[in-house]
Amino acid sequence: MAATAQNTLEPLRAGGDKAKDEDMEEELEYSPFYGIEKGAVLQEARVFNEPHVDPRKCQQVITKLLYLLTQGESFTKSEASDVFFSVTKLFQHKDVHLRRMVYLIIKEIIPSSDEVIIITSSLMKDMNSTNDLYRSNAIRVLCRIIDSQMLLQIERYLKQAVVDKSAVVAGAVLAGAIHLAGANAEVIKRWSNEVQEAINSRHPMVQFQAVALMHGLRANDRLAVSKLVTQLVRSNVRSPMAQCLLVRYVAQVIAESQPGVGNETRPFYDFLESCLRHKSEVVIFEAARAICNMRDVTTRELTPAVTVLQLFLSSSKPVLRFAAVRTLNKVAMSHPMAVTNCNIDMESLIADPNRSIATLAITTLLKTGNESSIDRLLKQIGGFMSEIADEFKVVVVEAIKALCLKFPQKYRGLMNFLSNVLREDGGFEYKKSIVDAILQLIREIPEAKEMGLAQLCEFIEDCEFNFLSVQILHLLGEEGPKTKDPARYIRYIYNRVILENATVRAAALSSLARFGAHCPDLRDRVLQLVRRALYDNDDEVRDRATLYLYQLQRAPQGPESVDPQWRIPAKGLEAALTAYLEQTDTEQPFDLASVPEVAAPSPAKAKAKPQGLAAAVAAGMSAAAAPVTQTDEYAEMLKAVPQLAALGPVFKTCAPVQLTEEETEYKVVCVRHVLEGHLVFQFNCTNTVKEQVLEDVSVTVDLADAEEFSEELVLPLEVMPQEGAGQTYVVLARPPGSMALGRFVNILRFRVKEIDPATGEAEEEGYEDEYQLEDTEVVAADYIKPSFTPNFRAAWDALPEESEMVDDYGIGQRDSLQDAVEAVGRILGMQSCEGTDAVPPNARSHTLLLSGTVVGDVQVLVRLAFGIDAQRNVAMKLAVRSESAEVSEAIHAIIQEA
């Protein structure tokens, strides 16, 4: 059966290079299931009906049937019945091995309820046999094929078997009970005393299955699960497998409970810590993983688990090394400083013969490394990249990108590394990940722009992927004209017009045209190059050349000559043209004014999740490097409303807040938009009651606790939709540039019209009604948005010293410095710089650097120095610099009021 994993259509070759030699036919081995077909196997199954049965031949046929079933082959009802009736005749044979195969095939075929009665008597006879193997296998088959009525008839026998002296029999009935518990839980619960006795069994497998069954019976009752876990923790669970199950159940209870307050330990944490000293390696790892996966885990709680995993890193067993480094990789995403003590051990794993272990070690080191270790890591990775598959290379590239964003001062070495690997062989996904990484670094680190553009120009000289070439050419057209020497990029772009296919040539022309529009000094040279494309053999290239010549020569000068402000979305235009062509009367010309200028935001499509090792390593990387927001989408929605578009650009869109419970009949979500002199409440409303129509929907906002605001405008919603969401807006005015705070009471008002079930139409009159929503609160962080500052020291020195304000604050008792850092970061809502949001383990002091922009586009930088004493009292020194002294005072006021 070892060969069952092979493709049934391909022979199995012997290992080594000799097997690859086509001339050595004797080196070829064939799978016993090569070319197997269901029809032929069913014909072979007739041997079951022969007067003199050949046990060996019958076993081979049953093996083939089992293989077909496990490979997803489906049997018709008549085919399954024929096989079942034929197999039942084999019960008369005394061959032990054949009997075991008969049990397997009956269990997999699962006969219908009217056929089960035929085999039940034979199975019952075997269940009372003196042969333990017959008894255990008969019990397993019965538990798989019987229904609830028959279970009641044999319950007494199964109940007695739970405490049978034979571990094989007891394990069989416990395993069967786990399957039966889904539909017959009440019957199985009557076995509690016997299962409890089985939990105290000395046989590891029996104890393991008894613990699993007891938990399965109580899984839907949180209190019962907690009591079971408490009981098992105090008892002597000797089986390592049962102990692993208990660790998982403890982790589940901890996840559903509140974390300890102050120095108070979590419930059952001491048990998990004691499991770290268990003699079984699998129990030790399970406990360490449970601790690392705890919600809001602290550095103090992580330390013993990380210490144990560090020992596993030097184990001689590859599976232990892989498990440890994979767990540490996940910990490094949220607590990178807690893993730094393992860096030396992980550096030795870079040369591990198992490439999966080496990849995880590299990516973990990239997350936990500091500036001084980056150059050494890059040298080690250099020889490593050529030895791994593209899937793992993508993971390493993502880790390098995240490291570069964390330490922007080291962008030169990291971008040179990306440029070198970009020129090596690799598939499309690998090359695309490198290009995407360089593009993001160009956008996030201004100093890296020219260096990144030069590297991409070199790459497109030999790029074999049209998609990447077009993407890079588009970027050159956008960013190239803004550099100090835009002329240097013209040569690379025009080479693509001469040497590439039509798709790339068209993209290169568009890029050239942008240079001509943005750089007057280069316009004549660009026009000369574009004219040469007028005789191209592709019509798309010729059309673009003609268009750009006209735009650059006759249209208004400047960037808008090539990139006009086109407010009509392509999707909206396509939909309008499609509707126009479907009309029977097309004599009227198409009116461009009928296309809405801004399309309604569409929900983002879910991306395919990475699988396997890539999922384990890359989880959370892209989120940390480039958080995805809907700010631009909401801004377009506001521009589509003329009354709101006149208020000016949106400074910041806050996270949506749900104002109703999930089970209520109306669903309302509030989104706050901060503008220069206004605050816009956008209420997204959905009606979940199909028997009602809600019209003239609006929200009344009470300003009693927000005196600095005044209501300026209310835009009601005509009808609250039952699918999707409709919007009603409330506009509040405030002093321009101010950071007004307040709490708002919200009441949903609407007109209800009942739907006549007979006609399906709403009544004409209706009645007024209202619904109390949750309150909303405007806090100081709403007026501050994070901003990326690659060089904090230079930006700090560039701000005026007279704007600096320094003061000391006492935060009180905290679990750790990390807790204090995260709390202050949430209050201010700013971007941490240079990786200072992670506090080293056991640190007594720490400095946090924050960068943000206050409403009115005022830059503000914050330097926070934390210290913690033996009683865990945290003191903080706050230094603020800004372009405005008033903003510096406002930051201090936020901390004082928090």
Side-chain angles (χ1 to χ4, degrees), residues 161-414:
V162 174
V163 292
D164 195 275
K165 293 181 180 179
S166 171
V168 178
V169 176
V173 71
L174 288 170
I178 293 174
H179 294 292
L180 290 171
N184 304 277
E186 294 302 321
V187 176
I188 307 300
K189 284 180 180 179
R190 297 202 289 262
W191 306 358
S192 295
N193 293 334
E194 287 76 10
V195 176
Q196 187 64 48
E197 187 175 342
I199 289 178
N200 300 322
S201 171
R202 295 190 178 188
H203 195 278
M205 183 57 71
V206 173
Q207 192 175 53
F208 164 72
Q209 291 171 330
V211 170
L213 176 58
M214 189 65 80
H215 177 268
L217 295 174
R218 306 183 183 190
N220 297 326
D221 187 345
R222 288 175 56 182
L223 182 59
V225 170
S226 181
K227 289 181 179 179
L228 173 64
V229 169
T230 304
Q231 173 192 343
L232 293 175
V233 166
R234 294 172 181 172
S235 64
N236 186 16
V237 179
R238 291 182 295 272
S239 167
M241 293 180 291
Q243 191 81 352
C244 286
L245 271 185
L246 181 54
V247 169
R248 294 187 181 185
Y249 300 153
V250 166
Q252 176 187 347
V253 173
I254 292 177
E256 294 172 351
S257 62
Q258 294 295 328
V261 180
N263 295 329
E264 182 184 350
T265 58
R266 301 172 190 257
F268 302 113
Y269 175 78
D270 292 338
F271 169 76
L272 292 181
E273 194 172 6
S274 68
C275 289
L276 296 176
R277 298 182 290 274
H278 199 276
K279 60 183 179 181
S280 172
E281 292 169 337
V282 67
V283 175
I284 295 174
F285 171 71
E286 197 68 41
R289 191 179 68 164
I291 293 174
C292 294
N293 290 339
M294 287 194 307
R295 175 167 49 93
D296 300 328
V297 64
T298 63
T299 304
R300 180 178 62 84
E301 293 170 329
L302 274 176
T303 301
V306 172
T307 303
V308 168
L309 293 173
Q310 185 177 4
L311 296 176
F312 281 0
L313 293 177
S314 55
S315 171
S316 59
K317 300 177 181 178
V319 65
L320 285 181
R321 297 199 303 273
F322 176 80
V325 74
R326 181 176 182 180
T327 305
L328 290 172
N329 184 282
K330 188 175 181 180
V331 174
M333 294 178 187
S334 55
H335 296 79
M337 300 307 297
V339 188
T340 51
N341 294 334
C342 307
N343 283 3
I344 296 176
D345 298 277
M346 279 190 284
E347 285 187 22
S348 63
L349 295 180
I350 295 177
D352 195 281
N354 187 309
R355 296 291 85 186
S356 298
I357 296 175
T359 304
L360 285 165
I362 280 290
T363 52
T364 308
L365 286 169
L366 290 173
K367 294 174 192 173
T368 60
N370 50 36
E371 287 190 71
S372 60
S373 64
I374 290 178
D375 295 333
R376 184 178 74 255
L377 282 175
L378 291 181
K379 289 181 181 178
Q380 291 176 303
I381 299 173
F384 163 81
M385 292 290 283
S386 60
E387 302 175 9
I388 60 176
D390 281 3
E391 179 189 8
F392 299 152
K393 291 180 182 178
V394 171
V395 173
V396 175
V397 169
E398 291 291 329
I400 291 174
K401 178 181 68 175
L403 185 67
C404 191
L405 293 173
K406 183 179 179 181
F407 301 109
Q409 298 88 343
K410 306 293 291 185
Y411 74 89
R412 291 187 180 276
L414 292 167

Side-chain angles (χ1 to χ4, degrees), residues 355-482:
R355 296 291 85 186
S356 298
I357 296 175
T359 304
L360 285 165
I362 280 290
T363 52
T364 308
L365 286 169
L366 290 173
K367 294 174 192 173
T368 60
N370 50 36
E371 287 190 71
S372 60
S373 64
I374 290 178
D375 295 333
R376 184 178 74 255
L377 282 175
L378 291 181
K379 289 181 181 178
Q380 291 176 303
I381 299 173
F384 163 81
M385 292 290 283
S386 60
E387 302 175 9
I388 60 176
D390 281 3
E391 179 189 8
F392 299 152
K393 291 180 182 178
V394 171
V395 173
V396 175
V397 169
E398 291 291 329
I400 291 174
K401 178 181 68 175
L403 185 67
C404 191
L405 293 173
K406 183 179 179 181
F407 301 109
Q409 298 88 343
K410 306 293 291 185
Y411 74 89
R412 291 187 180 276
L414 292 167
M415 291 192 68
N416 280 330
F417 176 83
L418 291 176
S419 176
N420 292 334
V421 296
L422 186 60
R423 289 193 287 268
E424 296 176 359
D425 294 337
F428 171 74
E429 292 297 333
Y430 172 47
K431 293 296 182 72
K432 183 177 182 298
S433 68
I434 301 175
V435 172
D436 290 342
I438 295 176
L439 294 182
Q440 185 171 351
L441 296 179
I442 289 173
R443 296 189 184 98
E444 299 288 350
I445 306 175
E447 295 87 346
K449 179 185 291 186
E450 295 202 14
M451 180 179 181
L453 292 178
Q455 292 171 346
L456 294 176
C457 285
E458 295 290 341
F459 171 63
I460 60 174
E461 292 287 333
D462 300 314
C463 180
E464 57 182 316
F465 304 108
N466 291 345
F467 178 89
L468 298 181
S469 296
V470 171
Q471 187 180 17
I472 294 171
L473 288 168
H474 176 74
L475 177 74
L476 288 173
E478 283 188 339
E479 302 294 340
K482 303 173 187 176

